[in-house]
Amino acid sequence: MFSDGPGDWIEYDKRQFRQNLGRLTRVGTGTLDPHLARYPDDEWAQLATADRGDADDLVD
């Protein structure tokens, strides 16, 4: 159960965000990058890669 302190909620949210960003990064490096190397004109893969870049910029 969560405490009543907002600081605890914020830390929990940050951990969850980092965990999910790590998963998305692994999908990108393990799936999207090899796919784009083989099919560089694939519109969906290009879009997904661009969205991933936007998420990385948000974190930085």
Side-chain angles (χ1 to χ4, degrees):
M1 186 161 243
F2 287 141
S3 73
D4 290 334
D8 292 335
W9 305 343
I10 291 169
E11 287 305 313
Y12 174 79
D13 290 343
K14 286 179 181 179
R15 283 193 310 270
Q16 292 299 314
F17 184 80
R18 282 192 290 267
Q19 184 179 38
N20 287 323
L21 184 60
R23 289 177 181 157
L24 289 173
T25 299
R26 287 190 300 278
V27 165
T29 57
T31 303
L32 285 173
D33 292 347
H35 181 86
L36 276 173
R38 188 166 182 163
Y39 304 103
D41 296 330
D42 186 315
E43 186 177 337
W44 178 86
Q46 290 174 358
L47 178 64
T49 301
D51 286 346
R52 186 178 75 194
D54 291 343
D56 290 342
D57 292 343
L58 177 68
V59 173
D60 293 335

